[in-house]
Amino acid sequence: LQGAAELYAGVLQEEPENVAAIAALAKLHLDTGDIEGARQFLGMVPPAKANDPAVAAVRAAIELAAQAE
């Protein structure tokens, strides 16, 4: 997971509004049980791209994880 996180972080350094990279990093945090970290990454999504399918999928997964706690 660390290698993937580094890859996506590198993409965000070049393209800070890359929704796919933001969603992937949020999902990686969620997969490690860091719900708050996942939410923080979703907070980086530009408002115009908030309904992107990748973002919506991670948002739904975060909500399910939060309900399961």
Side-chain angles (χ1 to χ4, degrees), residues 1-59:
L1 290 179
Q2 185 64 32
E6 289 174 6
L7 177 69
Y8 290 122
V11 170
L12 287 180
Q13 285 181 346
E14 298 294 321
E15 300 176 50
E17 295 188 355
N18 185 306
V19 178
I22 294 170
L25 279 167
K27 181 74 167 87
L28 286 173
H29 278 269
L30 183 62
D31 289 348
T32 63
D34 182 9
I35 295 172
E36 190 53 40
R39 285 184 174 135
Q40 288 178 1
F41 272 102
L42 284 189
M44 295 172 55
V45 174
K49 297 180 180 180
N51 292 323
D52 182 272
V55 173
V58 175
R59 188 180 300 117

